[in-house]
Amino acid sequence: MTAGEYITHHLTHWTNLGDKQKAIVDFSYLNYDSLIYSVLLGALACFLMWRAARKANSGVPGRFQAAVEILVEMVDGQAKSVIHNATSRKMVAPLALTVFVWIFLLNAMDMLPVDLLPLIWQQIYGAAGHDPHHAYMRVVPTADLSTTLGMSVSVLLVCLYYNLKIKGLGGWAHELVSAPFGTSKNPVFAVILGVINFLMQMIEFVAKTVSHGMRLFGNMYAGELVFMLIALLGGYAALSLTGGLLFVGHLIAGTIWAIFHILVITLQAFIFMMLALIYVGQAHDAH
């Protein structure tokens, strides 16, 4: 297998279409690997939070309880700074906490050796009578654009809900045609400004949603690709006369990138959570 084939193989999802070519925008297939890992890690996130709440006590907290309390206080503080409606925070703050923990766990799958789970899956898939070389498995759901855009669309739906809840149907409809350029007493200019304002509002919703999902996807996809290139460096070390030097370079590069990637994993989860809070907070503001 060449380097290009190796990377292509590891960037191919396990889908219901098998080896068939997929279009850039195609809703006829499912990425089973992204769905499975997203659901499993989402359940793990809920279990960890449930266990922390169940084991919480008023005495001296253990390390796990202390870590969760710090995390909860951090998210609650960020929610209070952005969303000033106490009633809304009762739902939005726990939602933001769930988003942060879930995305952190999804991102953390990138820390596993790039060939570990795909190799295990290939052995199982091959044992079932299939060619193991065609057993695809990607383990980082946030490196899948459909996953991150699905999350950002979910944030958009929450924003639409709060626009309606806080402003009412009439108030939000008026905002859609009066912001950001205002309106006019002249009927003709009022209609023109109303159309322009509405188009600008739609562009804003689309731009925020797409950029929200693309930012997370781009960072995690790039991180996954760098890990593959480092893995290839180790592979070439085994085949090269200067393999000893390449192997040392492989270990150094892998260690440095893994340490740096821990920051990327945490930061991207935090950024996604903060943008979700900001967008929901904007839904509470009247223009």
Side-chain angles (χ1 to χ4, degrees):
M1 181 181 290
T2 65
E5 291 172 341
Y6 174 85
I7 292 176
T8 301
H9 180 83
H10 282 287
L11 292 179
T12 304
H13 286 281
W14 172 33
T15 73
N16 57 317
L17 296 184
D19 295 332
K20 294 181 181 178
Q21 186 67 31
K22 300 182 287 292
I24 295 177
V25 179
D26 187 352
F27 298 101
S28 65
Y29 70 94
L30 296 173
N31 292 335
Y32 292 137
D33 41 17
S34 295
L35 286 171
I36 290 171
Y37 286 114
S38 295
V39 171
L40 290 178
L41 291 171
L44 176 61
C46 293
F47 171 76
L48 290 175
M49 293 298 101
W50 170 82
R51 182 175 177 80
R54 185 170 179 269
K55 296 291 185 179
N57 60 76
S58 57
V60 178
R63 285 178 294 181
F64 180 62
Q65 181 181 335
V68 172
E69 287 179 355
I70 292 172
L71 179 60
V72 171
E73 289 176 3
M74 182 272 291
V75 174
D76 188 60
Q78 296 296 335
K80 287 180 179 178
S81 67
V82 176
I83 301 171
H84 306 295
N85 187 312
T87 303
S88 296
R89 284 201 307 270
K90 291 180 180 179
M91 189 188 88
V92 176
L95 179 63
L97 176 64
T98 303
V99 166
F100 177 82
V101 176
W102 187 29
I103 294 181
F104 176 82
L105 292 176
L106 295 178
N107 293 350
M109 293 295 286
D110 214 4
M111 299 300 295
L112 294 175
V114 68
D115 288 305
L116 178 60
L117 292 181
L119 180 62
I120 294 173
W121 177 242
Q122 283 182 354
Q123 298 304 316
I124 296 174
Y125 202 63
H130 301 281
D131 183 359
H133 293 292
H134 292 282
Y136 301 111
M137 175 62 65
R138 291 187 66 183
V139 302
V140 187
T142 44
D144 180 4
L145 185 58
S146 61
T147 301
T148 58
L149 284 182
M151 293 176 178
S152 63
V153 169
S154 299
V155 173
L156 173 64
L157 294 177
V158 174
C159 293
L160 298 181
Y161 166 78
Y162 277 106
N163 270 302
L164 286 171
K165 180 179 180 180
I166 300 299
K167 303 166 187 175
L169 180 59
W172 186 39
H174 179 266
E175 181 181 286
L176 288 176
V177 297
S178 62
F181 299 120
T183 186
S184 173
K185 294 182 179 180
N186 186 301
V188 176
F189 288 153
V191 172
I192 295 174
L193 283 173
V195 173
I196 295 175
N197 287 329
F198 181 79
L199 290 176
M200 291 297 294
Q201 291 274 355
M202 295 301 104
I203 291 172
E204 180 183 355
F205 280 125
V206 172
K208 288 193 298 186
T209 302
V210 173
S211 64
H212 198 190
M214 286 290 291
R215 180 181 290 103
L216 177 59
F217 160 74
N219 281 278
M220 297 313 302
Y221 186 89
E224 186 181 33
L225 192 57
V226 170
F227 272 123
M228 291 180 191
L229 294 175
I230 293 173
L232 283 173
L233 182 62
Y236 279 121
L239 302 175
S240 172
L241 294 176
T242 58
L245 293 176
L246 284 175
F247 184 72
V248 172
H250 166 74
L251 291 178
I252 294 174
T255 301
I256 293 174
W257 182 246
I259 294 173
F260 175 75
H261 206 58
I262 294 173
L263 300 177
V264 174
I265 286 169
T266 307
L267 184 61
Q268 290 305 313
F270 179 77
I271 290 175
F272 193 96
M273 179 202 72
M274 281 304 304
L275 287 175
L277 286 174
I278 290 171
Y279 295 157
V280 174
Q282 289 176 344
H284 287 71
D285 299 331
H287 295 280

